[in-house]
Amino acid sequence: MKTFSSKDEMYKFSSAARAEGKTVGVVPTMGALHEGHLALMRKARKECGVVIATIFVNKTQFAPNEDFSRYPRTIESDKAGCEAAGVDAIFAPTTDEMYSPDFATYIVNEKAAGILEGAVRPTHFRGVLTVVMKLFNITAPHVAYFGQKDYQQTVVIRQMVNDLDIPVDIRIEPTVRERDGLAMSSRNRYLSESERKQAVCLHTSLVKCRELMMGGEKSAKNLAAAMRAVIDTQPDAKIDYVEIRNPDSLEPVDNVRPGDVALVAVRLGKTRLIDNMIL
Ligand code: AMP
């Protein structure tokens, strides 16, 4: 397995693979890898001739009050995980390599900033889309893998690819969970023992929503209220949002139909967790 920190060397590696007729797959991550990330890499391994994993904690997607400086950085164990998952090359640049001091060009989804994650984190998707576009340009993939865990992110990335005619095939893989249902996340390690136990309420609320819907409840308002009630049983859980939305447009729905998506964001102490389920 190769590790690149230079954009030029990364691009040369990928171009050479493309010239040999290989399908190049990329898995963008911020490191602190867990089974969710590794599942994306193993999927890429099955489907692509060359697999690139990127590891870059992207400053532009964090607001000044967020956890950029304390975000976990575990590059040595990340490398071992990538190697075991069959990755051919890691791209792990520095912030200086990615962003020159006079950097000034961003990609903005004009709708996303106002809703769900974008309402709470107004500059988040601008940072995500900009870095994903840069990573696509540097790693020149045919295919890119993302997790359903970050549902709104998958929607804005697909829209960017459609709107800007980017020749990359976007594949979304299911959320990998802990045994109790908590979605794996690099941020779970911030949780205290008590918060960790309470954190399962995100998943429990989604399961409750699905059960009620299967039982015939169609009102998004009633389903959201039931989900809130589940989360509110946990003393330290503070809800940012509980929503049921159209899976493509993320517009609110009144009457829930199969295929709509339930999304939750909850704060536990200083940690903010998100999860979702297709109903
Ligand atoms: P991150 O390092 O958090 O930026 O995540 C990198 C990629 O891994 C994104 O596409 C995430 O959606 C995906 N991912 C994170 N957690 C999970 C999970 N539990 N299951 C599946 N994919 C995940």
Side-chain angles (χ1 to χ4, degrees):
M1 186 179 70
K2 294 191 179 314
T3 303
F4 299 106
S5 53
S6 141
K7 295 189 278 195
D8 290 347
E9 283 175 24
M10 182 71 256
Y11 183 74
K12 274 186 202 144
F13 174 89
S14 183
S15 303
R18 290 179 75 106
E20 285 172 32
K22 291 183 175 150
T23 302
V24 177
V26 69
V27 181
T29 82
M30 298 206 298
L33 301 182
H34 51 64
E35 271 303 307
H37 299 115
L38 298 176
L40 297 177
M41 293 172 196
R42 288 194 289 263
K43 183 76 178 187
R45 179 71 284 161
K46 277 201 194 124
E47 296 180 347
C48 303
V50 167
V51 178
I52 300 169
T54 72
I55 298 179
F56 178 60
V57 185
N58 175 42
K59 199 168 184 165
T60 64
Q61 70 193 68
F62 291 79
N65 62 334
E66 291 181 346
D67 56 345
F68 174 71
S69 53
R70 73 178 182 123
Y71 196 85
R73 288 159 172 89
T74 59
I75 187 71
E76 288 313 317
S77 63
D78 289 352
K79 281 186 187 170
C82 288
E83 179 120 52
V87 167
D88 298 299
I90 292 178
F91 179 54
T94 61
T95 297
D96 289 348
E97 177 74 359
M98 290 294 278
Y99 294 105
S100 65
D102 53 358
F103 188 88
T105 307
Y106 291 89
I107 296 189
V108 174
N109 179 315
E110 304 229 310
K111 283 194 292 187
I115 57 172
L116 301 168
E117 286 303 286
V120 185
R121 310 178 72 192
T123 57
H124 175 64
F125 290 119
R126 178 182 92 141
V128 169
L129 293 178
T130 302
V131 82
V132 167
M133 183 76 249
K134 283 169 70 66
L135 292 170
F136 284 177
N137 288 334
I138 296 162
T139 62
H142 298 94
V143 190
Y145 295 83
F146 295 90
Q148 191 197 316
K149 155 86 186 346
D150 298 281
Y151 190 86
Q152 192 178 4
Q153 172 170 286
T154 67
V155 172
V156 295
I157 288 171
R158 277 192 194 284
Q159 186 166 12
M160 173 176 81
V161 163
N162 289 335
D163 288 351
L164 302 182
D165 308 300
I166 300 168
V168 177
D169 180 6
I170 303 298
R171 297 194 189 154
I172 311 299
E173 297 299 320
T175 302
V176 178
R177 298 178 179 281
E178 303 286 355
R179 289 173 68 144
D180 66 357
L182 174 65
M184 288 194 182
S185 164
S186 307
R187 291 189 167 100
N188 290 349
R189 70 186 72 196
Y190 298 154
L191 299 168
S192 70
E193 204 178 315
S194 156
E195 289 164 352
R196 169 66 187 81
K197 283 190 189 135
Q198 297 180 57
V200 74
C201 72
L202 284 85
H203 182 243
T204 319
S205 74
L206 292 165
V207 171
K208 177 83 185 175
C209 179
R210 192 174 53 188
E211 277 172 13
L212 290 172
M213 192 195 159
M214 309 259 275
E217 177 63 70
K218 291 197 176 64
S219 152
K221 206 169 141 216
N222 292 349
L223 289 169
M227 292 171 73
R228 282 179 174 271
V230 170
I231 297 167
D232 284 339
T233 60
Q234 302 305 310
D236 301 316
K238 306 271 179 293
I239 295 173
D240 262 356
Y241 58 78
V242 171
E243 296 281 340
I244 300 170
R245 298 277 174 129
N246 176 287
D248 304 315
S249 67
L250 294 178
E251 296 284 337
V253 296
D254 292 329
N255 287 315
V256 180
R257 288 190 303 195
D260 286 343
V261 58
L263 305 116
V264 293
V266 171
R267 289 176 202 266
L268 276 161
K270 287 196 175 122
T271 308
R272 189 167 178 282
L273 301 176
I274 57 172
D275 202 349
N276 66 83
M277 192 177 275
I278 305 286
L279 299 170

